[in-house]
Amino acid sequence: MARLSIDHLRKVYGEFHAVDDFSIAIAEGEFLVLLGPSGCGKTTTLRMVAGFIQPTAGRITIGERDVTALPPWKRNCGLVFQSYALFPHMTVAENVAFGLEMRKIAPADRAPRVAEALRLVQLTGFDERYPRQLSGGQQQRVALARALAMEPDVLLLDEPLSNLDAKLRQEVRVEIRDLQRKLGLTTIMVTHDQEEALTMADRLVVMEKGKVRQIGSQRELYEKPADRFVAGFIGRSAFLDGAVAEAGRFRTGGGLDIRCTATASGPATLALRPERLAIGAEAEACANRFPARVEHVSYLGALLDIDVRLTEQDRILLQMPNRPGAAEPKPGDMITIGWAEDAGLVYPREA
Amino acid sequence: MSAVPEPVAGARTSLAGMLVIPATLFVAIGLIGPIAILFRYSLNQFIPGQFMVDGLTIENYVKFFTDSFYLNVLWRTVRVAVICTVICLIMGFPLAYVLARTESRFKNLLIMLVVLPLFVGNAVRAAGWMTAFGSKGALNASLMGLGLIDQPLEIMFTETAVIIGIIAVNLPFMVLTLQSVIEGINRNVEEAAFSLGAGPAAMFARVLWPLAMPGILAGTILTFILAMNAYATPVLLGGPKFQTMGPLVYGQFAQQNNWPFGGAISFILMTATLLLTVAANLIVQRRYR
């Protein structure tokens, strides 16, 4: 199985930079997820790897092979589409055999490989069915089997779970992940679904407006978001606008003085994870303590989401576990909230 | 799939059902009636001077199938129709594909351009071709002016002229029919074929063509029927010596006053069209089922 590397990949449509200087090296058997809001360039990147879009600049290498100028049919990338894109006029077996047929593999040698691919996706016995006779989840698995049967160098998944209902999505997610590990397939998946990305990936790339914002593991993205966008996109963050007055001091627009770990002074934004905030007695021990007025409480079952106002301009969201016996704040209550010095992440802001 | 739509809301369905009555009556009275009468006429006798004598004879059909002149006309008509249909398909498919897949904001304009020739009647268009094809026409004048040929090309009053003329009429029908079907084929299916190692030719043969088959059938049937029954184009571009079935029927009715024979020719034309269409359908469906 080949290693995939992308060097300074760029796609420009007139004035619009769909993908701007994308570089990454993907290890053998790695599951990489491209994550970002719609229009961030993740699908364009995937389609360039598949060969459907010619890059404006840059290089794509699969193993030792430079595939940048190759047409899609010479790349050996297994592709699974959001719409499945099964051939409606062929049976399941014919669909799965298609890639083998195109590689001029003799019919007698195709059969066992088709059977093996269908066994992997647990669709043994569905050979003679037509796609229209299958459920969405089954069609998805046929699409996967079709891509696997040709033993691709790289597996590309384009929002493969978006058309499935929530419960099925979770099952297929695990199935795809298990299969990918078992076969050691180098895989790139595109998704806008954060939960999907976090549960499946070995490594994630967060993209926005054609640019790579951060590449890292789930933990790195959540604990150390590279910028304000990532802090808001991966998990939730409350943002306080203000400025770093001196090393270790952040002053909000509303006049709060917050201890932080930032050193460079200038206009900045402080990001706080809602579950890293302490409330009431626990808050007393924190480096940062402020009185706050409860504005709104959302009951989420296991958790409570509480919107609090610190000053006229400074509002934050905090999250507390829903424990029996714990006093549940009510809108209008005055409470104390606090957080550690290193809980707030400071991002410089262009003035 | 059921042919009868699911009833919607109780009482209203009967009212909705009544809406099909005008079209049904129109077809029954306006089409089936006259055809039945025509068939009856084709079994009558024709005695010059007496116009039409009631009878029950197949002599009109025998006359057609035993006279090599008429058989030649039928063969020529079928040949021209098949050639036109095949060329329409070959030229129309790429055009329909581009129209179906384009994301240009001028898409509607492009479709209008394809339809535009239909805004001009067949006779007017054929007259236009006449001025282009004549020995002193635009085409010959241009080619001779450029020094590409010494003698004017003989296009006018040939089979070539008729074929060009009919293709010009029929191409929009083929393109529009194919375009609507190709638009319904998911683009990702083509891409899936490419990613699985199919080059453009293999993708076309194994995926696009079979999936476009309903449109190909509808388009070829439509253009074949139109070509078989063409009237103005063969008359104006083919001239008096180039006889096809359409003008032959007209001649028997309007010039020879031989209604029984005209009726018989009409039926032979209709049956030939129908048989060839059904045969082509069966062959194609057997291959692409």
Side-chain angles (χ1 to χ4, degrees):
Chain A
M1 208 50 60
R3 196 177 105 104
L4 177 74
S5 65
I6 299 174
D7 298 307
H8 302 290
L9 196 66
R10 198 184 290 275
K11 181 67 197 179
V12 182
Y13 295 103
E15 295 287 293
F16 175 65
H17 290 254
V19 175
D20 209 356
D21 200 19
F22 185 113
S23 293
I24 194 166
I26 304 167
E28 204 156 295
E30 187 175 7
F31 197 120
L32 186 83
V33 170
L34 306 184
L35 179 64
S38 58
C40 71
K42 58 190 191 297
T43 299
T44 307
T45 305
L46 189 84
R47 291 174 65 81
M48 284 195 277
V49 175
F52 296 126
I53 297 177
Q54 191 59 38
T56 309
R59 223 160 70 98
I60 301 165
T61 321
I62 298 174
E64 298 299 306
R65 219 155 51 106
D66 183 345
V67 299
T68 319
L70 288 184
W73 52 92
K74 290 184 180 158
R75 293 202 180 190
N76 202 27
C77 291
L79 197 51
V80 177
F81 293 88
Q82 181 178 356
S83 61
Y84 320 138
L86 296 177
F87 305 125
H89 58 301
M90 298 183 197
T91 63
V92 167
E94 285 167 348
N95 265 282
V96 176
F98 188 85
L100 304 173
E101 189 190 327
M102 291 301 126
R103 275 168 184 69
K104 310 267 184 278
I105 289 165
D109 300 332
R110 284 178 216 158
R113 287 173 68 175
V114 170
E116 171 62 12
L118 287 176
R119 190 188 63 76
L120 284 174
V121 299
Q122 299 162 40
L123 280 179
T124 303
F126 285 71
D127 307 50
E128 296 310 312
R129 304 261 191 112
Y130 281 90
R132 62 176 177 275
Q133 298 169 307
L134 303 177
S135 69
Q138 290 167 336
Q139 290 187 34
Q140 179 61 280
R141 303 217 291 264
V142 175
L144 191 61
R146 183 175 66 176
L148 295 177
M150 65 175 213
E151 292 171 4
D153 292 330
V154 182
L155 183 64
L156 305 175
L157 309 171
D158 185 9
E159 307 236 7
L161 307 176
S162 303
N163 283 352
L164 302 177
D165 61 56
K167 189 162 178 338
L168 199 56
R169 200 178 305 173
Q170 298 214 337
E171 288 174 26
V172 179
R173 196 190 278 171
V174 176
E175 279 176 26
I176 291 181
R177 189 66 174 111
D178 287 349
L179 212 52
Q180 184 269 339
R181 279 222 180 97
K182 192 159 75 183
L183 301 176
L185 276 168
T186 308
T187 303
I188 304 180
M189 180 171 89
V190 156
T191 183
H192 63 269
D193 183 324
Q194 204 193 114
E195 195 189 327
E196 198 170 292
L198 294 175
T199 50
M200 294 177 83
D202 289 323
R203 205 151 53 114
L204 300 101
V205 178
V206 179
M207 296 179 74
E208 197 225 354
K209 291 181 186 158
K211 289 196 167 64
V212 173
R213 288 312 187 106
Q214 191 172 2
I215 300 177
S217 68
Q218 288 84 334
R219 186 173 295 274
E220 283 163 357
L221 294 183
Y222 193 83
E223 304 284 343
K224 297 190 182 68
D227 58 23
R228 200 205 130 120
F229 173 80
V230 178
F233 192 74
I234 303 291
R236 294 192 298 178
S237 291
F239 295 105
L240 295 173
D241 285 335
V244 179
E246 58 188 88
R249 292 280 173 187
F250 180 88
R251 187 177 286 276
T252 70
L256 294 177
D257 217 355
I258 297 170
R259 284 162 186 257
C260 66
T261 53
T263 49
S265 59
T269 299
L270 183 85
L272 286 167
R273 294 291 187 193
E275 78 284 359
R276 300 286 159 91
L277 300 177
I279 181 168
E282 286 172 48
E284 297 301 335
C286 295
N288 294 297
R289 286 186 306 278
F290 300 99
R293 178 189 295 278
V294 175
E295 297 255 298
H296 188 77
V297 179
S298 305
Y299 181 84
L300 300 177
L303 298 167
L304 296 174
D305 267 6
I306 305 165
D307 282 304
V308 298
R309 186 179 285 280
L310 300 172
T311 70
E312 202 52 45
Q313 289 173 37
D314 302 318
R315 298 177 55 173
I316 57 178
L317 174 73
L318 69 91
Q319 206 169 46
M320 57 180 276
N322 183 13
R323 293 205 186 95
E328 188 177 314
K330 307 235 166 348
D333 287 359
M334 290 301 294
I335 56 173
T336 304
I337 61 166
W339 62 89
E341 199 173 354
D342 60 358
L345 297 164
V346 177
Y347 299 107
R349 183 160 44 95
E350 293 83 47
Chain B
M1 245 195 296
S2 153
V4 184
E6 188 94 355
V8 193
R12 293 204 195 153
T13 22
S14 60
L15 180 64
M18 308 244 285
L19 293 174
V20 304
I21 290 176
T24 313
L25 281 180
F26 186 82
V27 170
I29 297 172
L31 191 65
I32 297 174
I35 286 176
I37 296 168
L38 195 65
F39 182 62
R40 178 67 195 87
Y41 282 179
S42 76
L43 300 175
N44 284 344
Q45 278 180 307
F46 175 74
I47 296 166
Q50 281 182 297
F51 181 54
M52 185 158 66
V53 178
D54 270 349
L56 208 59
T57 169
I58 58 162
E59 68 181 36
N60 294 308
Y61 292 92
V62 172
K63 178 182 169 187
F64 186 96
F65 286 110
T66 49
D67 189 328
S68 66
F69 171 77
Y70 296 120
L71 287 176
N72 267 330
V73 171
L74 177 62
W75 163 236
R76 184 183 298 132
T77 307
V78 172
R79 186 178 64 219
V80 166
V82 169
I83 293 172
C84 288
T85 305
V86 169
I87 295 178
C88 274
L89 182 59
I90 293 170
M91 296 205 303
F93 200 101
L95 186 54
Y97 184 84
V98 170
L99 280 178
R101 293 294 188 225
T102 182
E103 281 163 14
S104 161
R105 57 206 164 99
F106 298 117
K107 179 171 178 160
N108 284 333
L109 187 70
L110 292 171
I111 291 172
M112 278 302 288
L113 284 175
V114 170
V115 184
L116 202 60
L118 300 180
F119 289 179
V120 182
N122 283 355
V124 177
R125 191 191 345 230
W129 285 110
M130 286 171 78
T131 65
F133 290 157
S135 55
K136 292 195 172 70
L139 183 68
N140 276 318
S142 315
L143 290 176
M144 286 170 77
L146 289 168
L148 295 172
I149 50 170
D150 302 328
Q151 296 291 314
L153 294 174
E154 289 292 333
I155 303 173
M156 203 50 208
F157 304 130
T158 63
E159 189 167 309
T160 313
V162 176
I163 289 173
I164 293 175
I166 292 178
I167 290 171
V169 179
N170 289 0
L171 195 55
F173 292 100
M174 179 67 90
V175 171
L176 291 183
T177 314
L178 285 175
Q179 180 231 340
S180 66
V181 173
I182 295 172
E183 249 169 30
I185 301 172
N186 185 349
R187 178 102 219 222
N188 284 346
V189 171
E190 293 170 41
E191 293 177 342
F194 286 140
S195 77
L196 290 164
M203 189 285 285
F204 178 79
R206 296 282 280 114
V207 176
L208 193 55
W209 181 265
L211 289 179
M213 194 42 73
I216 294 166
L217 277 180
T220 49
I221 289 170
L222 196 60
T223 52
F224 181 72
I225 292 173
L226 285 171
M228 282 289 282
N229 294 282
Y231 177 76
T233 313
V235 165
L236 292 171
L237 297 180
K241 282 188 213 145
F242 191 83
Q243 277 282 2
T244 57
M245 293 293 276
L248 190 65
V249 171
Y250 175 78
Q252 291 300 320
F253 277 98
Q255 286 152 18
Q256 316 290 331
N257 261 326
N258 189 344
W259 285 35
F261 191 48
I265 302 172
S266 307
F267 258 85
I268 291 164
L269 173 58
M270 210 162 75
T271 313
T273 309
L274 214 63
L275 283 180
L276 287 167
T277 307
V278 170
N281 255 302
L282 287 178
I283 293 167
V284 167
Q285 275 176 355
R286 189 157 305 162
R287 266 202 71 183
Y288 288 101
R289 208 159 24 155

